[in-house]
Amino acid sequence: MKRREFLKGAGVGALAVGASALSGCNRDEATATTAAARPQETFEWKMVTTWPKNFPGMGTSAEKLATLIGAMSGGRLKVRVFGGGELVPALDVFDTVSQGGAEMGHGAAYYWKSKSDVFPFFSTVPFGMNAEEMNAWLHYGGGLELWKEAYAPYGVIPAAAGNTGVQMAGWFNKEINRLEDLKGLKMRIPGLGGEVLKRAGGTPVNMAGGELFLAMQTGALDALEWVGPYNDLAFGLHKVAKYYYYPGWHEPGTTLEAIINQAAFEQLPADLQSIVISACRVVNQDMLNLYTARNHDALQTLVGKHGVDVRRLPDDVLVRLRSLSEEVVGGLVGNNEFARRVYDSYEGFYDQAVKWHDISERAYFDVRG
Ligand code: CA
């Protein structure tokens, strides 16, 4: 082999290793070498999302992800973003990507709970891990590997691509003083939080964000939760509900996802694969930073300008919701071996995160005033 050819081959090998380390894909080096030797080839992808086009934080993060992929690839991979309902309905995103109707999607794993009980573990668990802990579990605690295993039968590759931080408990037109006050409420609340509401006597509804205002205004919903002040103000939810309760016991740090059609991903050269995965990682942290920066001011606007009545859920209600949550989450495992592995991994990581954060974050919060 001539020296120049050898160097070229070695460089491609290094790229392939880098890409599989990030993506966790099992690809043989020969495939990667062939793929990476096509620098002139360009790709055009569609990204379908569960959010209204350019909705603050979520829609804009999906746009940012597409822009980053385009810029990092020097225009070799162009991604066009579609808002919920533009190409397909918001809650059809997973199926669309699975079937190859779009190469990418942006949403949240708990929206697809009807497919598998374990999916919500990869978005958020009531009284579970916060944003930082979720990111640590996914990227350094085995969570992402389990998530890939969960989505593999659908031909879909997941990546964490955003986090809201702790959400609000939601919007109500009646006071919640006892757990019994949730009885009979038809409330938009996705994921495992919805299962907990069901045990408290309510009726959970899984509904895309863009439909919430009208549903609440027309009385199709009695209550709802969306995200937090920054996002809730943008939808004008203060116009259709009186009380704004906290804390978001049901969503303590929701991971949003980018999903990628596996066949489309495998057609990319190794460097573009690495760019897609790396851009998701950037947006994952960026969105959390944005929410932390914007939520307080938005809450001040809701209270000061719009007269929203902000209330904390009573301790007794939270204690009882917590116990119902433990029943719901524990009950998912059943006889399913995979669900048991996901549960054990999540709970094991949670235990050690709680212990460490007791003497770090919590101890610091207690003293900083
Ligand atoms: Ca929510």
Side-chain angles (χ1 to χ4, degrees):
M1 187 186 275
K2 287 178 188 163
R3 179 177 157 75
R4 220 178 130 183
E5 282 166 358
F6 171 77
L7 284 174
K8 195 175 159 197
V12 166
L15 255 183
V17 169
S20 28
L22 268 169
S23 70
C25 280
N26 296 319
R27 307 164 64 257
D28 67 83
E29 195 170 319
T31 312
T33 303
T34 312
R38 307 179 333 231
Q40 74 292 353
E41 197 169 351
T42 60
F43 298 84
E44 290 193 8
W45 276 16
K46 295 187 279 292
M47 187 198 298
V48 287
T49 71
T50 58
W51 331 113
K53 180 86 173 166
N54 277 318
F55 186 75
M58 294 163 170
T60 53
S61 290
E63 296 288 346
K64 196 174 280 188
L65 178 55
T67 304
L68 257 180
I69 291 170
M72 290 166 81
S73 69
R76 288 163 56 218
L77 175 52
K78 293 194 177 81
V79 183
R80 183 172 169 202
V81 179
F82 294 86
E86 282 191 329
L87 195 63
V88 295
L91 297 182
D92 286 355
V93 162
F94 188 89
D95 286 338
T96 302
V97 174
S98 172
Q99 291 155 14
E103 292 80 4
M104 258 187 115
H106 196 257
Y110 59 23
Y111 288 148
W112 335 120
K113 182 168 72 73
S114 63
K115 295 186 191 303
S116 164
D117 284 343
V118 303
F119 283 10
F121 281 97
F122 307 111
S123 52
T124 193
V125 171
F127 296 95
M129 292 194 261
N130 69 10
E132 188 181 342
E133 293 161 350
M134 271 302 287
N135 282 326
W137 176 57
L138 289 172
H139 297 120
Y140 291 98
L144 183 59
E145 295 312 313
L146 289 165
W147 195 1
K148 284 178 178 169
E149 194 175 335
Y151 280 9
Y154 303 90
V156 169
I157 299 168
N163 196 301
T164 63
V166 180
Q167 301 197 0
M168 291 287 282
W171 296 89
F172 298 82
N173 276 316
K174 63 184 262 195
E175 291 182 31
I176 305 299
N177 297 316
R178 309 168 306 142
L179 190 73
E180 288 69 24
D181 291 327
L182 295 172
K183 225 170 234 171
L185 280 189
K186 193 169 177 193
M187 179 174 181
R188 185 274 183 181
I189 172 170
L192 298 176
E195 295 303 308
V196 175
L197 177 75
K198 202 187 282 178
R199 294 212 181 197
T203 305
V205 178
N206 191 17
M207 187 183 278
E211 300 166 33
L212 298 182
F213 185 94
L214 196 62
M216 194 74 176
Q217 195 178 40
T218 58
L221 289 175
D222 303 313
L224 65 87
E225 71 74 54
W226 173 226
V227 183
Y230 175 50
N231 279 166
D232 294 4
L233 174 64
F235 267 155
L237 298 177
H238 53 279
K239 294 173 193 159
V240 290
K242 188 171 171 190
Y243 302 108
Y244 196 22
Y245 275 95
Y246 71 95
W249 58 273
H250 64 305
E251 298 203 49
T254 306
T255 293
L256 304 184
E257 65 182 11
I259 48 178
I260 306 155
N261 178 278
Q262 190 171 345
F265 189 75
E266 283 169 1
Q267 282 165 21
L268 293 180
D271 61 337
L272 293 189
Q273 290 182 340
S274 176
I275 283 169
V276 169
I277 298 301
S278 301
C280 290
R281 193 73 174 260
V282 169
V283 167
N284 186 49
Q285 185 64 43
D286 181 78
M287 187 174 153
L288 180 62
N289 300 155
L290 177 68
Y291 278 63
T292 305
R294 297 282 183 268
N295 270 327
H296 173 74
D297 280 355
L299 186 62
Q300 294 311 110
T301 303
L302 285 169
V303 173
K305 192 172 164 195
H306 301 299
V308 167
D309 192 339
V310 177
R311 302 203 177 185
R312 186 180 185 279
L313 284 171
D315 283 338
D316 169 62
V317 172
L318 288 167
V319 166
R320 294 178 68 190
L321 284 170
R322 179 167 186 145
S323 125
L324 290 178
S325 298
E326 282 165 7
E327 284 176 31
V328 165
V329 177
L332 291 176
V333 179
N335 294 322
N336 183 319
E337 185 267 338
F338 182 57
R340 164 60 66 188
R341 278 202 288 130
V342 174
Y343 176 85
D344 286 349
S345 172
Y346 184 98
E347 292 295 326
F349 198 88
Y350 183 36
D351 282 349
Q352 63 93 22
V354 166
K355 287 187 180 105
W356 165 238
H357 277 164
D358 264 349
I359 64 158
S360 56
E361 304 289 336
R362 189 201 298 273
Y364 175 66
F365 276 15
D366 285 347
V367 297
R368 79 175 185 181

